[in-house]
Amino acid sequence: MSQTATRSNERRLTIARAMAEAIAQEMRVDPRVFVMGEDIGPLGGVFGNTRGLIEEFGKERVRDTPISETGFIGAAVGAASDGMRPIVELMFVDFFGVCMDAIYNLMAKNTYFSGGNVKVPLVLMTSTGGGYSDAGQHSQCLYGTFAHLPGMKVVAPSNAYDAKGMMTAAIRDENPVIFMYHKGLQGMGWLGTEPGATVNVPEESYVVPFGKASVVREGTDVTIVGLAMGVHNALKAADALAKKGISAEVIDLRTLVPLDRDMVFKSVKKTGRLIVVDEDYRSYGVSGEIITSVAERDVSVLKATPQRVTYPDVPIPFSRPMEQFCLPNPDKIVAAFEHMTGA
């Protein structure tokens, strides 16, 4: 590797900056790419994902919209179907209720409805996650909701390197992609970001392929699977378990659709134990799907009953102590391991 390339890998970016850089690089090489959403122009997005874009590309390609999610997401579906490559921001994933028809009955299904003749290369980026006393209207993850609906790819990065590569991959994909970024990982000072999400990011364009999970920490005694903020909670739990002589392997799913079931199974076959961390609701979600994927393939690899560390099936409280009580955290992961092993 050249010295220039080495230096480019030494830049530490936040997820917000990495996303904005990926979008800008694709906009420079592909005139079909444009951005729409609320406050994504001069403000640069509430979470910083579009900073600097309007200054470089102007109002025609970086379009602030009225507060009408159904309207602008529906317009984006039409633009994508007509050959453009729109990137649309749904400011909070919780707002999906007012525009689900545009997302699922149009964006996700139109390629199928047309027998493959109409592509919908649309990126819908949206914020997830709680911890800020924003109550039930602004704090959900809803990963399982979208992963459950066929026709869309669903990604959720845990760090800036993956965020840039996955955004580039999403823009180039011929299918609709839901790009779910966790507010606590964005690098916005007022949110108080997770330090581990800010990592070295190459300046050049690159792609992180969908459907490939990542082993972010190797171990032999238990597999801890997570995505987005769950990965960082898992890593902290792994540090705590290491002090007790327990070796934990941590897997970052990175994408939910497609889902890397093979890597999860391979790890659990090695460790014999499985804990799934998910900030989404406990029932009918990602945690159950991961556990089932292992059990269906070969339940005999499990030395102990799998455990879930998730958000309980309750509306997210406004009260900070109540919300923190509900959220997954490293202590709950350690407790899950101790429960699993009877320690």
Side-chain angles (χ1 to χ4, degrees), residues 1-341:
M1 182 181 290
S2 69
Q3 289 186 351
T4 301
T6 301
R7 285 195 297 270
S8 73
N9 280 289
E10 293 173 352
R11 302 183 315 146
R12 294 178 62 82
L13 296 186
T14 64
I15 286 183
R17 286 186 59 196
M19 290 173 64
E21 183 168 271
I23 294 170
Q25 289 177 339
E26 291 304 295
M27 291 181 75
R28 290 175 193 136
V29 299
D30 190 342
R32 299 173 298 170
V33 180
F34 71 99
V35 188
M36 286 200 302
E38 298 158 0
D39 295 324
I40 56 92
L43 183 64
V46 171
F47 303 107
N49 309 322
T50 55
R51 283 185 178 176
L53 297 183
I54 196 167
E55 289 82 1
E56 180 173 354
F57 301 102
K59 294 182 179 180
E60 284 295 309
R61 296 182 68 192
V62 183
R63 298 193 172 201
D64 266 333
T65 66
I67 302 175
S68 178
E69 288 84 1
T70 298
F72 65 75
I73 294 175
V77 173
S81 302
D82 202 35
M84 301 296 284
R85 305 188 83 86
I87 305 164
V88 185
E89 179 164 89
L90 178 63
M91 190 181 294
F92 293 88
V93 72
D94 317 71
F95 297 170
F96 83 98
V98 300
C99 52
M100 194 56 159
D101 185 60
I103 295 171
Y104 187 53
N105 283 325
L106 302 179
M107 186 179 101
K109 295 179 181 177
N110 275 356
T111 299
Y112 176 80
F113 287 161
S114 68
N117 292 312
V118 177
K119 304 295 185 183
V120 188
L122 188 160
V123 180
L124 177 63
M125 56 183 181
T126 187
S127 72
T128 66
Y132 313 100
S133 297
D134 283 341
Q137 304 96 329
H138 302 82
S139 305
Q140 298 170 98
C141 284
L142 302 180
Y143 301 128
T145 299
F146 292 97
H148 179 69
L149 303 174
M152 304 174 292
K153 296 184 178 180
V154 181
V155 305
S158 69
N159 62 77
Y161 178 90
D162 285 352
K164 179 177 177 180
M166 290 162 69
M167 176 57 76
T168 301
I171 296 170
R172 295 177 184 178
D173 204 294
E174 294 298 324
N175 302 281
V177 178
I178 306 272
F179 193 104
M180 307 180 84
Y181 57 88
H182 194 290
K183 296 188 286 290
L185 304 179
Q186 285 301 99
M188 304 295 288
W190 59 277
L191 285 171
T193 198
E194 166 58 49
T198 301
V199 298
N200 297 335
V201 179
E203 186 171 357
E204 61 271 16
S205 180
Y206 61 91
V207 166
V208 171
F210 296 162
K212 299 293 182 182
S214 173
V215 177
V216 294
R217 178 178 179 135
E218 294 188 353
T220 57
D221 296 324
V222 60
T223 299
I224 308 176
V225 177
L227 71 161
M229 184 62 80
V231 174
H232 299 278
N233 283 326
L235 287 169
K236 292 171 185 175
D239 286 338
L241 288 169
K243 295 177 182 178
K244 302 173 182 288
I246 306 300
S247 173
E249 182 149 294
V250 177
I251 293 181
D252 181 352
L253 291 175
R254 301 204 285 194
T255 68
L256 292 174
V257 182
L259 180 62
D260 193 349
R261 303 173 196 271
D262 290 341
M263 179 173 286
V264 173
F265 181 81
K266 180 180 178 182
S267 176
V268 177
K269 186 176 181 180
K270 175 176 68 172
T271 66
R273 301 180 181 91
L274 172 63
I275 299 173
V276 186
V277 185
D278 182 15
E279 197 178 318
D280 201 355
Y281 300 117
R282 180 180 182 87
S283 298
Y284 315 109
V286 172
S287 58
E289 183 65 27
I290 295 298
I291 292 169
T292 301
S293 295
V294 173
E296 283 182 334
R297 187 172 297 194
D298 186 356
V299 72
S300 70
V301 303
L302 294 167
K303 299 176 183 176
T305 304
Q307 300 292 307
R308 292 187 275 180
V309 179
T310 65
Y311 205 94
D313 298 329
V314 298
I316 297 175
F318 172 76
S319 163
R320 179 171 176 80
M322 291 176 67
E323 184 185 24
Q324 292 297 321
F325 176 81
C326 291
L327 284 166
N329 61 42
D331 290 341
K332 291 181 180 179
I333 300 171
V334 172
F337 177 81
E338 292 172 346
H339 176 76
M340 171 192 295
T341 58

